[in-house]
Every structure is written in C-alpha cells, then in structure tokens.
Amino acid sequence: MKWLEKYNHWLENENIDEKTKKELRSIENNKEEIEERFYTDLAFGTAGLRGKMGAGTNRMNKYVISLTTQALAEVIKEEGEEACNKGVAIAYDVRHKSDEFAKIASLVLANNGIKVYLFEDIRPTPELSYAVRRFKTQAGIVVTASHNPKEYNGYKVYWKEGSQILFDIAERVTEKISGIEDIAGIKAMDEKEAKEKGLLEIIGKDIDDEYLSKVKKSSIRSNVNKDIKIVYTPLNGTGHIPVTRVLDESGFKNVYVVEEQSEPDPTFATVGYPNPEDTKAFKYAINLGKEKDADILIANDPDCDRMACMVKDNNNEYVSINGNQTGAILINYILEGLKDKDELPENGVIVKSIVTGDLGKNIAKAFGIETINTLTGFKNICAKANEFEKTGEKTFIFGYEESIGYVYDTFVRDKDGVIASMLIAEAAAYYKQNGKNLLEVLDEIYREYGYYSEDLFSLVLEGIEGQERISRMMKTYEDEYLTDIEGAKLINITDYENSIRKDLLNNKEEKIEINKTNALKYEMDNESWYAIRPSGTEPKIKIYIYAKGKDKKDAEIKVNNIKENVLNKLNSIE
C-alpha cells in the first residue's frame, strides 16, 4: 500500500485503538507528516529498530513492537521446542513507554509459548547481555534508544551468545515481518495467565548482584590507592545504581553524583541530547567537578552501554578524552596490568571497528597482542568473542569503538558502560598514584607511538528527501572520490559493500573477507585515512577522519585538511 492508503487503513482498522486513531486524525490536514509516518515501515536491521515514537508504520509504537516480537517469536519457534523453553530475557531503559513496550513484547512471546525473563525495572543494556548468558536463553530484547533524543525509542535483539543478532537472524526476522498482514491483529497473553503458566518470570536483585560481582572481578589492579575524587553522571539514565555501587564496593569512596541527573528522566530535561560524546552533556558534571576538585568526570549514556570521561589538567580545567584516546589509555592500562601479573595471554587479541583509530593497535602490538578489525557495531566486535569461544584459537581481551563503547572480558557480549566506568576510574587512580593524570599518560603514549588526531562529523538529513540524498552522496562519492588532499595522495580504497580493496599504487584489486556494509574507506600516503557511511540508527551520513603526524599540530592540520575537502565534496552533491 502507498502511504495514504496505509494511513486510511490504520484509521479504518478495528484493531487499532481509539487513542491512536485520534492522534492520526490530528494530522489529517498535514500531508507531509502523514507521508513521513507511513511512506515506509520502520526498518528492522542488525541494530533492531530505532525511531521516533508515535502512530504510523515508520514510528515506534505498540503495534510495531508487537509485529516485530511476533516475527521474532516465529524465528525462535523454527529453532524448536528447546529454544522456546530456553526463552527470551527482556530489559528496558528510562524512556517514555519503554516499560510498556517491554511488557507487550513479553506477553506476545508468552502467547507463542515462549518463556520470558523480564527485569522488574530499568536496567543497563549490558546487564541484559549478561542475563541472556546467565539464563542460557535463546534470545534477548532491550527496549532502548541509547543516546538518541527524547522523541526516540528502540528495540535491540540479542541471540543466545549474549551479543546482538547478526545479519542472518535479522534477515529471518525481516522475512517474518513481511509475512504478517495485519499489524494490529497480533495477540498477547494476559499477564496473570502468563505468570501462572510459568511463561513470565520477573527477575531483579539476584541477577544484579551476580552481574556486578563479575564486573568487580574484572578489576586489573586490586592494590591501587583509590583516594581520587570522581564526579559521575548517568545523564538521567540507567547507570546510577550499578555504576555507583560498583565504584563504592571497589573502594572508591569519593564519588559525587550530579544530583540533577541522578534520577531517571525520559525528557532528559537537564541535557537535551543525552550523548556523552558531546561535551555539552558534561555541563553539570563540570560545575560539580570544580566544586569538589574532582580528578575525573565520568558519564554514561541513558542505557549505560557507553562511557565518556573528562580529566582535570594541570590548570584545573576539564579536558575531554575522546573514544579513540580512552580506548588507547584502557588498552595500555589493561595490558600493562596483565603483563605485571604474568596473565597476558599468548594468543590474546584486541578487537576494534574499521573506523576506530590505530593508536590502540600500535600499543597492543608492543605487548605482542594482535588487533582484529570488524565492521562497525559491537554485534561484530563480540561476534569475534563468540567465535573464539568455540574455536579456542584466540583469547578475546578487549573490544572497543571510537564511539565510546568498550568491553573487557567476555561475560558480557556487548559494550558495557559499567565495566568501562570502573576501569577508567581505576586507571586514573593507578596513574595518579604514580604521579600522572590521564592527559599526561596520553601524552606519554603519543610520544612513544606517534601523535594522532581524529574527527567525527555528521551531516544530518532528515525525512524522505534526506534519506534519498544520503543514498546519492554514497553512490556519487563511490565514483567521484578525491585523489589528492592538500598534497596527500590516495593510495587505497576499501569498498565494504562490495567487499573490494583497491590498491591504487599497484593498480590491484582484491576481495576482502568481511561482512558487507555500506561504507567506504580512503587511505592516503601520509598515514591518514577517512571513512564515510550512513548511520544505522539516525538520519545522518557519518565521516570519520584519522591522521598521524610528527607532532600534535601536524596531525590536527592533516585532519582539518581532510575535513574541509570531504565536506565541500559531499555538500556539492544535491
């Protein structure tokens, strides 16, 4: 059906509730809004669902949740009776309707004879990953929109290993979705009946205790002087209780929580855009940091799977450390600590994404540790942990992305802001004990491994026209790329959608063994590179830039040259 037909179908469908129809009638004279809500169905991909909340097929609402869950149920039933009995673990975050969507998903699954373990209240996303492994469920669901603005919600699906589903499972779910004709005709079991039949089990504190005990055991150094001052903000999300508890039970007693951002708030009134990658999110933390003379500021995004930090410099100002830099510091700290304890595995590996910088890789190499690149997304990073668990070929030590996601060890198979918060606090304490702050540690790393600079910027293009323009940008740039940027020559192109790497110096082309994704990477002859890809969760095209220089200024100049030239080229594509 075309968008207007879909709109009218929802208004006429007897299974659509009156409140939803009232919302749709309120936009009956706004053709653009109707088209935006119905021109497509909210796509289910390997990141699950994510979109603005509201009525319509291109919105997050209870009907889309029911449809997706019914499709997932059918995939699970294809796995057999044992898979249904193993069931699904479900968690949710602080956003509007997250609890409602989680309950709907639970009861749709129960109506399909699939056991559900539902958390009693909000929980961090990494604890859902732990619960999947703890209960040995077939799948997991977390209702969250991560760091998106307040108007959004989302639905991420995990598989039995505890990591997010890969393309094969996502494709099966998508196929099932397309086979369901009536989005509003999906049945859910009564909650009381589900509990009586043993199909719905509420879980809580015991699993918290187990998960947090595992987090504490992932400490690298137990004898660190933890008398540093930490300001922490969960940005009104799920991180407050687990992170402060872990820090306290690990010995950090000078932890100050930003009061205005301590309690769950789906409006994110004090921060607006709850993304700790953006230093604006640290406004309240900086104020409290100055009041308490804190050594380090730590923030999590609302579902607490990511972590960002700022460090007090020698001028008592707070300086942001980005994802690549934090990853490098954590790698250095972890590998140093493991080596000192003689626990560095001979076959250990670090796993990062293709758009994450190379500084961490160079540090790992100095410790004799291999680094493996994957496509973006922790589903791909933790897929390596799953693989090595089966083959025993390598030992997964640490995974990270430049987008402030990190995981240490393998009891969680996703990025984990709780683990990362504990480790960065521990690293800060350890280095302070040795007379250095994290900025000075980073400078030492640069002096040893080379000066790196990077940038990530996005062009936000919303709506139908925006999506079409993003597609044109990717297609045009694939054919009309820059071969020279301020004297730096292009030497390699990697086309991840077509699995091809082109060596321009030797005029060679080779197939690469990596899953396909819509991304392009361009390497220059001055040790700089940039990559372009559409976001999988937001209406934007993302450009990643990374450069190595003889000093900090030289690296920054290279980054700025690439940014200016690539931005001009992309903006010229109408």
Side-chain angles (χ1 to χ4, degrees):
M1 288 185 286
K2 295 181 179 178
W3 56 269
L4 190 56
E5 290 174 343
K6 286 182 181 180
Y7 171 74
N8 288 325
H9 175 72
W10 275 51
L11 287 174
E12 296 162 4
N13 191 327
E14 62 182 15
N15 291 320
I16 299 288
D17 68 277
E18 187 55 36
K19 184 178 178 181
T20 299
K21 289 180 179 179
K22 183 177 179 181
E23 179 183 335
L24 292 175
R25 291 190 195 102
S26 72
I27 61 168
E28 62 185 351
N29 295 319
N30 188 338
K31 299 298 184 185
E32 288 184 359
E33 179 68 13
I34 295 172
E35 183 179 9
E36 172 61 26
R37 289 178 182 230
F38 287 94
Y39 84 95
T40 188
D41 296 340
L42 195 62
F44 183 88
T46 53
L49 299 170
R50 196 175 297 180
K52 291 181 179 179
M53 288 182 284
T57 60
N58 191 32
R59 290 288 186 269
M60 285 291 295
N61 53 67
K62 63 183 181 180
Y63 300 108
V64 170
I65 291 291
S66 294
L67 172 71
T68 307
T69 305
Q70 181 61 38
L72 175 62
E74 292 179 13
V75 170
I76 292 172
K77 287 190 286 187
E78 286 181 346
E79 297 292 311
E81 184 179 351
E82 184 181 356
C84 295
N85 293 335
K86 286 181 176 179
V88 179
I90 299 181
Y92 57 93
D93 72 0
V94 305
R95 289 175 182 271
H96 290 297
K97 296 185 180 293
S98 281
D99 55 348
E100 177 187 336
F101 291 166
K103 184 68 67 68
I104 288 169
S106 299
L107 299 178
V108 168
L109 288 166
N111 196 58
N112 282 271
I114 296 171
K115 171 82 182 227
V116 174
Y117 299 89
L118 174 65
F119 275 99
E120 63 184 359
D121 202 347
I122 61 170
R123 289 298 189 278
T125 287
E127 191 172 349
L128 182 278
S129 173
Y130 174 76
V132 170
R133 296 181 60 76
R134 164 63 175 78
F135 290 107
K136 296 181 170 60
T137 62
Q138 184 65 30
I141 297 168
V142 60
V143 180
T144 177
S146 187
H147 58 281
N148 283 62
K150 64 183 180 181
E151 297 84 7
Y152 283 74
N153 212 327
Y155 176 107
K156 292 198 290 190
V157 179
Y158 293 70
W159 209 234
K160 58 187 177 182
E161 298 88 354
S163 52
Q164 294 177 50
I165 57 170
L166 294 174
F167 177 75
D168 56 340
I169 303 299
E171 190 174 39
R172 289 170 63 189
V173 174
T174 300
E175 184 181 346
K176 297 298 182 185
I177 289 173
S178 65
I180 298 173
E181 293 184 1
D182 185 3
I183 192 172
I186 294 156
K187 305 298 182 186
M189 185 176 284
D190 176 75
E191 182 177 352
K192 183 180 178 183
E193 180 185 356
K195 289 179 177 177
E196 288 174 349
K197 289 184 174 181
L199 289 169
L200 177 59
E201 182 177 333
I202 305 300
I203 57 175
K205 187 178 184 303
D206 290 347
I207 302 305
D208 299 340
D209 293 344
E210 289 182 21
Y211 162 67
L212 295 176
S213 175
K214 293 272 191 181
V215 173
K216 288 183 290 182
K217 287 178 181 176
S218 66
S219 167
I220 300 299
R221 299 178 187 271
S222 59
N223 60 345
V224 173
N225 181 352
K226 295 173 180 175
D227 191 32
I228 66 167
K229 293 182 179 180
I230 300 168
V231 162
Y232 171 68
T233 173
L235 296 183
N236 300 112
T238 62
H240 183 191
I241 292 173
V243 171
T244 56
R245 181 177 161 188
V246 160
L247 291 176
D248 179 67
E249 293 177 8
S250 298
F252 295 96
K253 300 303 180 182
N254 300 317
V255 178
Y256 308 96
V257 180
V258 176
E259 184 178 352
E260 299 90 339
Q261 297 171 339
S262 64
E263 296 302 313
D265 177 12
T267 71
F268 307 110
T270 61
V271 66
Y273 178 40
N275 183 359
E277 274 187 292
D278 187 342
T279 54
K280 290 196 242 5
F282 278 88
K283 178 181 177 182
Y284 284 77
I286 290 171
N287 291 338
L288 184 58
K290 290 182 176 179
E291 177 188 330
K292 301 296 184 182
D293 192 29
D295 298 283
I296 187 171
L297 318 178
I298 298 173
N300 297 123
D301 61 343
D303 68 326
C304 197
D305 63 351
R306 304 196 307 159
M307 182 278 296
C309 65
M310 298 186 79
V311 180
K312 185 179 69 175
D313 67 12
N314 293 326
N315 296 315
N316 293 319
E317 296 296 328
Y318 289 100
V319 178
S320 175
I321 297 179
N322 65 36
N324 278 314
Q325 294 167 332
T326 303
I329 290 170
L330 288 174
I331 289 169
N332 192 66
Y333 175 68
I334 290 167
L335 297 184
E336 272 186 348
L338 293 178
K339 184 178 180 181
D340 288 349
K341 295 189 292 184
D342 199 26
E343 294 178 4
L344 202 60
E346 290 184 7
N347 61 350
V349 293
I350 304 294
V351 183
K352 71 178 187 66
S353 76
I354 58 173
V355 295
T356 298
D358 298 320
L359 180 55
K361 174 182 176 181
N362 292 340
I363 296 169
K365 185 178 179 181
F367 285 89
I369 297 298
E370 179 186 0
T371 298
I372 295 174
N373 284 329
T374 71
L375 298 182
T376 55
F378 258 75
K379 58 184 176 289
N380 296 303
I381 288 172
C382 288
K384 287 296 179 183
N386 300 338
E387 176 189 332
F388 301 148
E389 184 176 54
K390 292 176 183 176
T391 66
E393 180 186 356
K394 299 180 187 299
T395 300
F396 182 100
I397 299 175
F398 183 76
Y400 76 115
E401 285 191 314
E402 91 302 327
S403 54
I404 62 172
Y406 320 93
V407 69
Y408 173 64
D409 209 341
T410 58
F411 64 92
V412 168
R413 300 290 169 93
D414 200 0
K415 53 187 176 289
D416 189 329
V418 184
I419 294 174
S421 295
M422 185 193 73
L423 288 179
I424 200 67
E426 190 179 296
Y430 170 74
Y431 290 120
K432 183 179 182 181
Q433 180 178 298
N434 287 278
K436 296 173 282 191
N437 63 42
L438 293 185
L439 296 170
E440 291 168 329
V441 172
L442 182 62
D443 197 51
E444 284 184 358
I445 289 172
Y446 282 147
R447 288 199 299 270
E448 183 168 355
Y449 298 101
Y451 285 85
Y452 290 83
S453 184
E454 66 262 17
D455 197 3
L456 165 61
F457 65 97
S458 302
L459 297 176
V460 178
L461 299 164
E462 294 187 317
I464 304 168
E465 291 183 1
Q467 289 302 304
E468 290 174 347
R469 190 174 176 206
I470 287 172
S471 295
R472 288 195 300 274
M473 284 179 169
M474 290 299 298
K475 182 60 180 173
T476 301
Y477 205 95
E478 183 180 346
D479 298 325
E480 300 176 15
Y481 48 81
L482 299 170
T483 59
D484 184 298
I485 298 179
E486 307 297 333
K489 306 297 183 185
L490 181 65
I491 57 173
N492 291 306
I493 302 172
T494 306
D495 180 342
Y496 291 98
E497 188 163 45
N498 294 302
S499 303
I500 292 171
R501 180 178 169 85
K502 298 176 182 177
D503 178 347
L504 302 185
L505 287 178
N506 299 301
N507 196 27
K508 291 182 179 178
E509 188 174 292
E510 63 177 350
K511 278 285 193 182
I512 56 172
E513 293 298 323
I514 196 167
N515 290 333
K516 295 183 178 183
T517 190
N518 189 10
L520 299 163
K521 187 172 182 179
Y522 300 88
E523 298 171 69
M524 316 302 289
D525 64 359
N526 64 349
E527 295 190 82
S528 61
W529 58 258
Y530 65 97
I532 304 173
R533 74 176 184 92
S535 170
T537 57
E538 298 172 274
K540 59 176 64 171
I541 187 168
K542 303 177 80 170
I543 300 90
Y544 306 78
I545 306 173
Y546 204 72
K548 183 179 180 182
K550 62 179 182 289
D551 53 34
K552 184 178 180 180
K553 184 177 180 181
D554 182 45
E556 289 175 348
I557 289 171
K558 289 177 180 178
V559 166
N560 289 333
N561 286 340
I562 294 173
K563 181 175 183 177
E564 181 179 351
N565 282 269
V566 172
L567 188 57
N568 287 340
K569 179 66 177 177
L570 288 173
N571 281 329
S572 72
I573 302 170
E574 294 297 331

